[in-house]
C-alpha cells in the first residue's frame, strides 16, 4: 500500500516506464564507458586509431546511444515529477507544500550528485537533474502551450552552431576523470563538477518539459489510449535521431574523414538536438512493447523492469565499476581496453545490475538509494500529517 500523498508503491507502478528506465541503463553504460578509453587522437569521445571492429562499434554507439539515452531519462524524470504532483494534489496538498517537497528532492539529488562526482564519476548527471528540478517546479502550473513553447525554444538554442558539444570533441579523457591519486582528484573535480551541474541541466529542459506534459495525460501509463501518438513518436523520433547522428557517427566509424572545424560546430549540436527526439522515440517504443506484452511478462522482462524501479542504485553501481576499472590508482585499464572491450564491460556491468535488481525485487527491497531519496523527500510530510491527525483527533 502507498500512504496518501506518498511515493508510488511497487505494485502500483506501470510496466512501460520502468522497462524503459531499466533497458536504457544499458545505453547509459555504453554511453559513459567509452569516454575512458585511452588513445592518441579522438573524435566524439572515441579513439580514432581503433580496429575496424572498434570503429564499427563506435559508429553504432554514436548513432543509437550517445546523446539519445539521457534525453529519454529526462522525459521520464519530468513524467515522474508530474506523477508526484498528481498524487499530492489528489491527497489534498496545496501548490506551495508540493514545491517544498520537490525542492527537498532536488536538494538530495544535488548533494548525492556532488558526492558521486567527487568519489566515483565526474560525469555525474544527478546534480544537474537536481538543479533542473529546483528550477522546474515553477513550470508545474504552466499551461500546455507554454511547456511546448519553452521546450521548442530551448531545443532550437541548443541546436545552434557551437564548439562545446562532446559529439564533435577532439579531446580525450578529462584529467578529472582519471586522477592519479585519491586526494589529488578533489581539486580538479571541485572545479569541474559545479560547471557540469550548473550548465548540464540546460540540455534536459526540453525532454523534462515534454515529460511533464506527458505525465499530466498519463500517456506512458495508459498507452492503449494513445497508440497513434506513441507509434508516430517512436517512428519519427528514432528516424530523426538516426539521421541527425550520421554526420558525427560516420566520422567515428571511419566511413568519412573528419570535416572542417566549422562543420563540426554544426554537426555536434545537430547530433545532440536530434538525440532529444531519439529519447522521445525510445520511450514511446519501449512503452509500446510493454503494452504489447500485456500480462505476458517473462522473467527477463520482470528483471529489467526491476532495474528501472531501482534506476538510481543501478546507475551508481555502474560508476563503482568505472572507478575501479579505469582509475589510475586502482586497476588503471584505460589504455589496456579498447572501444570493443569497454563496450563488453558495459554490457556485463548492466547484466550484473539486472541480476542485483532482480534479487532485490525477490526480497521485496526497493533499493538503498531509492529508500534514501524517498525518506528525505516524504518523511517531513509524514511527520507533519501525523501531527495534524493527532491534533485533529484531540480536538
Amino acid at each position: 500500500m502507498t500512504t496518501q500523498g506518498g511515493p508510488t508503491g511497487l505494485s502500483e507502478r506501470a510496466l512501460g516506464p520502468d522497462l524503459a528506465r531499466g533497458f536504457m541503463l544499458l545505453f547509459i553504460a555504453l554511453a559513459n564507458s567509452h569516454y575512458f578509453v585511452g588513445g592518441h587522437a579522438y573524435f566524439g569521445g572515441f579513439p580514432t586509431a581503433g580496429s575496424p571492429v572498434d570503429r564499427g562499434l563506435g559508429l553504432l554507439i554514436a548513432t543509437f546511444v550517445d546523446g539519445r539515452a539521457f534525453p529519454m531519462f529526462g522525459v521520464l524524470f519530468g513524467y515522474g515529477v508530474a506523477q508526484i504532483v498528481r498524487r499530492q494534489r489528489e491527497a489534498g496538498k496545496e501548490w506551495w507544500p508540493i514545491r517544498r517537497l520537490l525542492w527537498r528532492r532536488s536538494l538530495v539529488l544535488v548533494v548525492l550528485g556532488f558526492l558521486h562526482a567527487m568519489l566515483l564519476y565526474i560525469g555525474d548527471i544527478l546534480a544537474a537533474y537536481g538543479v533542473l528540478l529546483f528550477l522546474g517546479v515553477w513550470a508545474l502550473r504552466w499551461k500546455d502551450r507554454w511547456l511546448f513553447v519553452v521546450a521548442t525554444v530551448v531545443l532550437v538554442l541548443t541546436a545552434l552552431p557551437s564548439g562545446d558539444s562532446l559529439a564533435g570533441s577532439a579531446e580525450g579523457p578529462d584529467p578529472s576523470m582519471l586522477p592519479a591519486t585519491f586526494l589529488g582528484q578533489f581539486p580538479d573535480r571541485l572545479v569541474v563538477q559545479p560547471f557540469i551541474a550548473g550548465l548540464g541541466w540546460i540540455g534536459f529542459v526540453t525532454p523534462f518539459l515534454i515529460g511533464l506534459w506527458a505525465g499530466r495525460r498519463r500517456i506512458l501509463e495508459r498507452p492503449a489510449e494513445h497508440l497513434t501518438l506513441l507509434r508516430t513518436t517512436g517512428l519519427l523520433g528514432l528516424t530523426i535521431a538516426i539521421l541527425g547522428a550520421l554526420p558525427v557517427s560516420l566520422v567515428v566509424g571511419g566511413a568519412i574523414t573528419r570535416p572542417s572545424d566549422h562543420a563540426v560546430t554544426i554537426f555536434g549540436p545537430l547530433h545532440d538536438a536530434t538525440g532529444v527526439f531519439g529519447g522521445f522515440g525510445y520511450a514511446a517504443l519501449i512503452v509500446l512493447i510493454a503494452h504489447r506484452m500485456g500480462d505476458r511478462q517473462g522473467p527477463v522482462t520482470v528483471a529489467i523492469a526491476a532495474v528501472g524501479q531501482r534506476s538510481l542504485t543501478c546507475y551508481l553501481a555502474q560508476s563503482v565499476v568505472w572507478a575501479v576499472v579505469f582509475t589510475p590508482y586502482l586497476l588503471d585499464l584505460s589504455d589496456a581496453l579498447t572501444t570493443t572491450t569497454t563496450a563488453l564491460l558495459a554490457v556485463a556491468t548492466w547484466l550484473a545490475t539486472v541480476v542485483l535488481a532482480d534479487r532485490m525485487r525477490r526480497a521485496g527491497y526497493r533499493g538503498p538509494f531509492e529508500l534514501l531519496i524517498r525518506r528525505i523527500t516524504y518523511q517531513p510530510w509524514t511527520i507533519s500529517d501525523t501531527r495534524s491527525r493527532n491534533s485533529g483527533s484531540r480536538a
Side-chain angles (χ1 to χ4, degrees):
M1 292 291 291
T2 303
T3 58
Q4 187 182 45
T8 304
L10 292 178
S11 62
E12 303 173 46
R13 298 175 69 105
L15 173 64
D18 285 335
L19 191 62
R21 289 187 187 92
F23 183 77
M24 278 298 115
L25 274 171
L26 168 61
F27 278 18
I28 297 295
L30 290 169
N32 283 337
S33 57
H34 71 78
Y35 284 100
F36 290 98
V37 179
H40 298 292
Y42 302 86
F43 184 78
F46 295 89
T48 58
S51 69
V53 175
D54 291 330
R55 301 298 293 271
L57 188 57
L59 186 152
L60 293 176
I61 293 174
T63 302
F64 297 100
V65 176
D66 285 358
R68 277 101 187 103
F70 285 110
M72 195 215 70
F73 270 90
V75 173
L76 295 174
F77 184 59
Y79 195 95
V81 170
Q83 288 180 307
I84 292 173
V85 171
R86 181 176 64 253
R87 295 183 66 82
Q88 300 307 317
R89 293 295 289 169
E90 290 174 350
K93 304 299 181 181
E94 297 297 330
W95 284 105
W96 188 247
I98 294 174
R99 289 194 179 101
R100 291 204 304 267
L101 179 146
L102 293 173
W103 279 331
R104 282 197 298 272
R105 195 177 188 89
S106 73
L107 179 61
V108 178
L109 289 173
V110 169
V111 173
L112 189 59
F114 176 80
L115 295 175
H116 176 220
M118 291 299 103
L119 299 174
L120 295 174
Y121 177 51
I122 188 58
D124 164 79
I125 62 167
L126 299 179
Y129 274 143
V131 174
L132 175 62
L133 179 57
F134 184 84
L135 299 174
V137 296
W138 299 107
L140 297 179
R141 300 182 71 180
W142 288 0
K143 294 182 179 181
D144 290 347
R145 66 173 178 271
W146 282 111
L147 294 178
F148 278 96
V149 167
V150 175
T152 301
V153 170
V154 173
L155 180 62
V156 170
L157 291 176
T158 57
L160 295 176
S162 170
D164 296 330
S165 172
L166 289 177
S169 173
E171 301 293 328
D174 188 273
S176 62
M177 292 182 65
L178 298 172
T181 64
F182 177 72
L183 293 179
Q185 72 190 23
F186 297 112
D188 284 341
R189 293 187 174 187
L190 282 170
V191 173
V192 174
Q193 195 275 339
F195 178 80
I196 295 176
L199 296 179
W201 62 271
I202 297 173
F204 297 118
V205 169
T206 297
F208 173 80
L209 293 177
I210 300 304
L212 277 179
W213 172 81
R216 289 176 179 178
R217 281 152 181 75
R218 312 186 73 168
I219 291 173
L220 304 185
E221 300 161 82
R222 300 171 177 175
E225 302 173 11
H226 307 279
L227 290 178
T228 300
L229 174 63
L230 290 170
R231 288 165 180 163
T232 303
T233 301
L235 177 61
L236 290 181
L238 293 177
T239 300
I240 292 171
I242 292 169
L243 293 177
L246 289 179
V248 166
S249 63
L250 290 175
V251 177
V252 170
I256 60 176
T257 59
R258 187 184 186 279
S260 66
D261 290 341
H262 175 70
V264 170
T265 64
I266 297 174
F267 295 153
L270 175 67
H271 183 279
D272 298 335
T274 55
V276 173
F277 291 95
F280 300 155
Y282 278 127
L285 177 62
I286 295 174
V287 168
L288 285 171
I289 292 172
H291 172 67
R292 188 70 177 266
M293 288 179 179
D295 296 328
R296 304 185 304 276
Q297 301 170 21
V300 173
T301 301
V302 172
I304 295 175
V307 175
Q309 294 164 0
R310 299 157 181 84
S311 56
L312 179 57
T313 294
C314 292
Y315 168 70
L316 293 173
Q318 291 183 5
S319 296
V320 174
V321 175
W322 312 149
V324 171
V325 171
F326 295 110
T327 303
Y329 61 80
L330 295 174
L331 293 183
D332 191 19
L333 297 181
S334 178
D335 292 326
L337 297 179
T338 65
T339 299
T340 301
T341 52
T342 301
L344 292 174
L345 173 65
V347 173
T349 299
W350 177 74
L351 289 174
T353 62
V354 172
V355 174
L356 175 65
D358 193 51
R359 289 181 66 89
M360 286 190 283
R361 177 191 66 81
R362 293 173 184 273
Y365 183 55
R366 191 182 278 273
F369 291 99
E370 284 71 23
L371 288 174
L372 172 67
I373 198 169
R374 281 166 171 78
R375 284 173 179 169
I376 295 176
T377 299
Y378 290 100
Q379 191 173 28
W381 276 28
T382 302
I383 294 172
S384 175
D385 290 348
T386 300
R387 288 175 177 170
S388 297
R389 286 194 296 269
N390 291 341
S391 175
S393 61
R394 286 195 299 269

